[in-house]
Amino acid sequence: MPGREALHVALADDHDRMRAGIADLLHRSERYRVTVHARNGQELVQALEAGAQVSIAIVDLSMPVMDGYAVVDWLKQHRPLVRVLVYSQFADDAAVIRSYRGGAHGFLCKEEAAEQLVVAMDTLAAGAVYHTDYSQRVLLENP
C-alpha cells in the first residue's frame, strides 16, 4: 500500500489456524495488519486496555471466557471508534440481528469466500456498514 500505512486490526477467534489464516490473508492485501491476536474476547479487551490501538476488530461469536456478543458490547461502550466485523461460523437470523443491534458494523459467515473478508474490511475502513445479501434481508425483515 504505497504512501499509506496499513490499518491496525484486532482479531479474536479461539481457533489458532483460523487466526493465522485471516492474518495472512489481510497481510497479503497490504491494507491491514493484525496487531492484536486474541484467543477470546477477554484477551482482546486486555490488549486494548493495555494500550493497543486498532481501527477494526474482527470478532468470532463463539469463544470461551468472553464471547463475541460481549466483545461487541464492550467495544461499543469503551472503544466506539473501533469498527467491528463479526466473522462467525454461526450465521442464523438471531445472530445477525443481535450482532448489528449490539453495535457491529458488519457480519460475515466464515463459509463465505476469503476474498469477501477483504471486501468487508474495505467497507468498514471506508466508514460504511457491510451487509451480505443474507444479513440485509434479515435486518429488513426484522426492523
Side-chain angles (χ1 to χ4, degrees), residues 59-62 69 85-100 106-113 130-139 141-142:
V59 180
D60 185 20
L61 290 179
S62 179
Y69 297 114
L85 176 65
V86 171
Y87 191 56
S88 182
Q89 181 105 8
F90 306 102
D92 61 20
D93 292 7
V96 170
I97 293 166
R98 186 173 175 192
S99 295
Y100 280 104
F107 189 104
L108 186 63
C109 181
K110 289 180 180 178
E111 294 176 358
E112 295 284 336
Y130 176 79
H131 293 289
T132 61
D133 290 342
Y134 171 69
S135 66
Q136 187 170 23
R137 180 188 57 75
V138 168
L139 293 173
E141 291 176 357
N142 297 278

Side-chain angles (χ1 to χ4, degrees), residues 4 36 38 47 58 64 67 74 81 90 106 126-127 131:
R4 292 187 73 186
V36 174
I58 302 171
D67 70 17
W74 187 90
L81 298 180
F90 306 102
H131 293 289

Side-chain angles (χ1 to χ4, degrees), residues 11 17-30 32 34 37 118:
L11 174 56
R17 293 171 101 180
M18 181 63 71
R19 279 195 322 277
I22 292 169
D24 183 58
L25 173 71
L26 294 177
H27 177 75
R28 283 186 277 123
S29 80
E30 299 184 357
Y32 306 101
V34 178
H37 295 261
V118 176

Side-chain angles (χ1 to χ4, degrees), residues 8 16 58 60 72 95 103 112 117 128:
H8 291 208
D16 295 339
I58 302 171
D60 185 20
V72 171
E112 295 284 336
L117 178 59

